[in-house]
């Protein structure tokens, strides 16, 4: 005897969705017949789940599709925007601060860094990353598709899994073989394209059967798409609490019905029979008439009391709300206790969401590395070959910082740890090494002012001014601590020619 276990989706849709990846044997050729089979499988087995998740994000819940109640009964349909709130809270924490990328160390890296900076700016990559992350939170995964723009430059766009899917080989590496995108035209016919490692092939079924209609070469030398995953299971952020959200909506709606029902109490007329022209529909006027022919019951009128389940309903609503946020591992940051929590207490309360973010970060960084690999494949200089391996990817958490507490901890570490470790405690310091260098440069500049440019060590050899000394003087000038003439004199004292000093100051003023 076997037992079949059904999920929440089966209860809602009458079928169990498929979440497995599309896998075909190594070396498989994508024919029109196989493409049609893959699209049909995506529509029938994958799309219902994705559409349900998309609907939840838009606050389209089961409560709005319930059968209408009779006209004489209250029929409120209320839905809390839980899925949206959970997603936006997590996304603000996870990627509210854009991702940093940088290349360090070797000659020529300045040009490569500038290339990546230009690409990110041209492609509006901060916005694309935010969309990729949000779609991954909603559906469990998302796609970034690459293409060549009109100027021959590489570009990318976030693509929803509602209209696309990746096909992998059946090796242990699960290498991408094809990326398929499809949609429907005004007549309901399929149109789309798929990409392999060399070509982009367009297709449609306008002739009544799937047919390849056009082919173009791309230059990424790999499937020009990257999958960004929420987690290894490709499970959406609020997917595990959908049943609780649906229950919350039902209880909330019935609570509103009860409030409306209780506010419209029934009147009882007891002891006399009302005339027929007065006795209207009981359901319409909420009237009950009790009488007997012997006149033994005195005449009286009163409102009938109704049962009150307010306490039980409130307990259930509160319990469901608590479970939704707890099981989703995303706290309700609008709670009053968050505004009064100390730095340590706040971090403890955010730890479940921090763990979620750490798991997602590993997948997201992997996706960015695959993006950089495709950019290195593209015949566009100077970012080529294995340059993608030397790119440092840094993600930040967007959360309130208790700088007073951090400063206290940093000061207590003085004399115990290195200055670099001491400064790394402060969230306002991005790079402790650079901060130390800037601090020393400012200290040297102040010493130069006090000693009037004379060396404190008479045997000190003349040296070239450092960029940190120059930027320190420019910073003081920018803050209004120095006049222009004083700034020029200070630069001359550290060894800068007057013409160069004037040029530095002019560059700063033009930059402002």
């Amino acid at each position: 005897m076997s037992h079949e276990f059904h999920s929440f989706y089966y209860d809602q849709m009458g079928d169990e969705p498929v979440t497995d990846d599309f896998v075909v044997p190594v070396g498989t050729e994508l024919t029109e017949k196989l493409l049609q089979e893959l699209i049909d499988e995506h529509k029938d087995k994958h799309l219902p789940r994705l559409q349900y998740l998309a609907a939840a994000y838009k606050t389209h819940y089961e409560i709005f599709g319930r059968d209408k109640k009779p006209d004489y009964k209250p029929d409120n349909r209320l839905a809390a925007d839980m899925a949206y709130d959970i997603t936006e809270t997590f996304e603000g924490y996870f990627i509210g601060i854009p991702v940093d990328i940088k290349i360090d160390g070797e000659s020529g890296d300045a040009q490569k860094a500038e290339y990546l900076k230009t690409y990110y700016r041209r492609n509006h990559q901060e916005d694309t990353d935010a969309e990729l992350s949000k779609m991954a939170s909603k559906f469990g995964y998302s796609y970034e598709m690459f293409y060549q723009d009109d100027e021959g430059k590489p570009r990318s766009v976030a693509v929803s899994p509602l209209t696309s899917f990746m096909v992998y080989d059946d090796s242990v590496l699960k290498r991408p073989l094809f990326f398929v995108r499809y949609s429907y035209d005004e007549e309901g016919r399929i149109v789309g394209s798929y990409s392999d490692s060399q070509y982009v092939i367009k297709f449609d079924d306008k002739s009544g059967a799937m047919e390849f209609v056009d082919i173009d070469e791309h230059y990424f030398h790999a499937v020009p798409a990257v999958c960004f995953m929420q987690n290894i299971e490709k499970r959406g952020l609020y997917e595990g609490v959908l049943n609780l959200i649906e229950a919350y909506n039902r209880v909330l709606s019935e609570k509103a019905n009860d409030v409306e029902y209780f506010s419209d109490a029934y009147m009882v007329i007891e002891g006399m029979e009302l005339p027929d022209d007065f006795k209207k529909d009981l359901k319409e006027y909420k009237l009950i008439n009790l009488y007997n022919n012997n006149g033994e019951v005195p005449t009286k009128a009163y409102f009938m009391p109704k049962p009150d389940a307010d306490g039980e309903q409130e307990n259930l609503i509160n319990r469901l709300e608590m479970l939704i946020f707890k099981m989703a591992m995303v706290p309700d940051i609008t709670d009053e206790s968050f505004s009064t929590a100390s730095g340590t207490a706040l971090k403890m309360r955010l730890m479940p969401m921090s763990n979620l973010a750490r798991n997602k970060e590993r997948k997201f960084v992997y996706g960015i590395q695959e993006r950089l690999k495709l950019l290195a494949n593209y015949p566009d200089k100077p970012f080529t070959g294995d340059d993608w391996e030397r790119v440092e990817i840094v993600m930040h958490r967007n959360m309130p910082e208790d700088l007073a507490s951090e400063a206290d901890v940093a000061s207590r570490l003085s004399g115990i740890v290195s200055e670099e470790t001491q400064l790394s405690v402060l969230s306002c310091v991005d790079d402790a090494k650079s901060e130390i260098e800037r601090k020393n440069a400012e200290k040297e500049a102040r010493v130069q002012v006090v000693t009037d440019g004379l060396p404190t060590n008479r045997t000190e050899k003349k040296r070239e001014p450092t960029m940190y000394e120059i930027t320190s003087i420019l910073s003081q000038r920018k803050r209004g601590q120095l006049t222009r003439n004083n700034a020029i004199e200070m630069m001359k004292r550290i060894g800068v020619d007057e013409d160069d000093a004037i040029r530095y100051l002019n560059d700063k003023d033009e930059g402002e």
Side-chain angles (χ1 to χ4, degrees):
M1 181 177 178
S2 63
H3 296 275
E4 185 176 4
F5 294 92
H6 295 150
S7 72
F8 170 74
Y9 290 111
Y10 189 91
D11 183 56
Q12 295 293 316
M13 301 182 294
D15 195 11
E16 197 69 28
V18 175
T19 57
D20 297 335
D21 293 324
F22 293 87
V23 177
V24 297
V26 178
T28 297
E29 180 184 354
L30 190 59
T31 63
E32 287 96 335
K33 180 182 178 182
L34 178 57
L35 177 61
Q36 184 68 65
E37 292 174 356
L38 292 172
I39 291 176
D40 289 341
E41 182 178 350
H42 183 263
K43 286 191 303 179
D44 298 337
K45 299 298 183 182
H46 292 254
L47 199 55
R49 165 184 169 270
L50 299 172
Q51 288 174 331
Y52 199 104
L53 291 169
Y57 181 80
K58 296 177 181 178
T59 325
H60 298 168
Y61 289 108
E62 176 265 344
I63 189 68
F64 298 112
R66 286 189 142 192
D67 295 336
K68 291 193 65 175
K69 293 184 178 181
D71 292 339
Y72 63 88
K73 286 188 176 182
D75 191 13
N76 290 286
R77 312 290 180 92
L78 305 180
D81 210 359
M82 291 287 195
Y84 179 88
D85 181 59
I86 289 170
T87 303
E88 295 302 311
T89 299
F90 179 81
E91 288 305 301
Y93 173 77
F94 177 73
I95 205 166
I97 300 176
V99 182
D100 282 338
I101 60 168
K102 56 184 178 180
I103 300 180
D104 291 324
E106 298 182 9
S107 61
D109 282 349
Q111 291 81 9
K112 295 170 185 178
E114 184 61 29
Y115 172 84
L116 289 178
K117 182 178 178 181
T118 302
Y119 170 80
Y120 268 58
R121 182 173 58 249
R122 184 179 66 244
N123 199 55
H124 308 289
Q125 196 63 51
E126 290 182 8
D127 183 62
T128 302
D129 284 345
E131 287 302 310
L132 288 168
S133 180
K134 182 185 289 187
M135 277 194 279
S137 289
K138 290 163 60 177
F139 305 115
Y141 61 102
S142 60
Y143 296 111
E144 182 177 22
M145 186 189 74
F146 290 79
Y147 65 96
Q148 176 179 297
D149 67 13
D150 295 337
E151 298 177 0
K153 300 293 185 180
R155 296 285 296 273
S156 71
V157 63
V159 179
S160 169
L162 287 165
T163 59
S164 59
F165 57 89
M166 188 83 79
V167 182
Y168 302 88
D169 68 25
D170 60 356
S171 69
V172 293
L173 298 177
K174 281 190 68 175
R175 291 172 292 229
L177 291 181
F178 314 106
F179 180 66
V180 181
R181 292 175 57 242
Y182 71 95
S183 59
Y184 297 90
D185 63 13
E186 296 177 352
E187 299 179 7
R189 295 173 299 194
I190 294 177
V191 294
S193 65
Y194 83 86
S195 306
D196 58 17
S197 60
Q198 289 184 285
Y199 301 103
V200 179
I201 298 94
K202 295 180 180 179
F203 59 82
D204 62 50
D205 64 352
K206 296 180 180 179
S207 63
M210 188 62 66
E211 184 179 3
F212 299 147
V213 294
D214 194 13
I215 183 171
D216 288 311
E217 186 176 4
H218 67 75
Y219 303 96
F220 293 97
H221 306 293
V223 176
V226 177
C227 180
F228 285 78
M229 294 187 290
Q230 180 77 5
N231 44 58
I232 191 62
E233 298 85 9
K234 294 186 176 179
R235 172 176 169 173
L237 185 64
Y238 51 83
E239 191 165 1
V241 294
L242 281 176
N243 57 337
L244 296 174
I245 297 176
E246 294 283 17
Y248 185 91
N249 293 335
R250 290 193 294 270
V251 174
L252 195 63
S253 298
E254 289 304 325
K255 172 73 173 177
N257 290 340
D258 286 348
V259 170
E260 184 176 333
Y261 180 71
F262 293 157
S263 66
D264 195 4
Y266 280 80
M267 172 172 279
V268 179
I269 306 297
E270 187 177 343
M272 65 175 292
E273 182 179 4
L274 296 174
D276 291 338
D277 60 348
F278 187 81
K279 289 187 300 182
K280 299 290 184 181
D281 188 356
L282 169 68
K283 297 176 182 178
E284 182 179 354
Y285 291 101
K286 308 295 188 297
L287 179 67
I288 299 176
N289 187 202
L290 302 176
Y291 62 92
N292 61 26
N293 293 328
N294 297 327
E296 296 175 357
V297 179
T299 301
K300 52 184 176 179
Y302 57 90
F303 286 101
M304 178 181 290
K306 297 179 179 179
D308 184 5
D310 184 70
E312 290 81 357
Q313 290 171 332
E314 284 298 316
N315 286 338
L316 181 55
I317 289 174
N318 292 335
R319 176 65 61 86
L320 286 171
E321 185 173 335
M322 181 271 294
L323 281 174
I324 288 169
F325 286 107
K326 182 178 180 180
M327 294 297 102
M329 299 173 69
V330 177
D332 179 9
I333 60 175
T334 61
D335 192 288
E336 252 183 62
S337 59
F338 263 85
S339 60
T340 57
S342 65
T344 302
L346 188 62
K347 288 183 178 180
M348 290 299 294
R349 296 193 65 177
L350 291 174
M351 184 171 285
M353 184 164 66
S354 178
N355 292 336
L356 275 181
R358 286 181 183 275
N359 290 332
K360 182 173 182 175
E361 180 178 334
R362 286 190 284 270
K363 303 299 180 185
F364 208 82
V365 168
Y366 176 79
I368 294 175
Q369 289 174 332
E370 293 297 304
R371 169 198 299 161
L372 296 172
K373 190 184 299 185
L374 286 171
L375 288 177
N377 288 343
Y378 194 79
D380 202 5
K381 306 296 182 182
F383 191 74
T384 59
D386 295 332
D387 288 340
W388 66 272
E389 294 181 352
R390 295 188 295 105
V391 177
E392 182 183 359
I393 302 166
V394 181
M395 300 193 69
H396 309 276
R397 300 288 177 266
N398 185 21
M399 62 177 293
E401 302 292 350
D402 189 350
L403 290 179
S405 176
E406 291 175 0
D408 182 59
V409 173
S411 64
R412 291 172 184 270
L413 292 175
S414 180
I416 301 175
V417 298
S418 68
E419 188 177 3
E420 184 177 342
T421 302
Q422 187 180 357
L423 286 175
S424 65
V425 173
L426 301 174
S427 58
C428 60
V429 177
D430 295 327
D431 188 336
K433 276 188 176 180
S434 298
E435 187 64 27
I436 292 173
E437 292 173 352
R438 287 193 294 268
K439 183 180 175 183
N440 291 336
E442 288 187 357
K443 184 177 180 181
E444 286 184 23
R446 286 196 296 270
V447 169
Q448 292 288 343
V449 173
V450 172
T451 60
D452 198 29
L454 297 174
T456 55
N457 183 350
R458 297 292 178 174
T459 63
E460 179 182 342
K461 294 182 178 180
K462 184 178 179 181
R463 59 177 180 79
E464 293 295 324
T466 66
M467 184 55 65
Y468 289 107
E469 291 173 328
I470 296 172
T471 55
S472 176
I473 295 171
L474 292 176
S475 297
Q476 293 180 64
R477 166 65 178 149
K478 183 177 182 180
R479 293 195 295 266
Q481 296 173 341
L482 295 173
T483 65
R484 182 180 176 85
N485 289 336
N486 286 341
I488 293 174
E489 287 299 317
M490 286 181 63
M491 287 194 187
K492 289 165 64 176
R493 288 169 184 169
I494 63 173
V496 179
D497 292 338
E498 183 173 354
D499 291 340
D500 290 336
I502 294 172
R503 179 170 56 82
Y504 288 143
L505 289 169
N506 288 341
D507 290 344
K508 179 192 75 65
D509 292 339
E510 290 174 4
E512 293 178 346

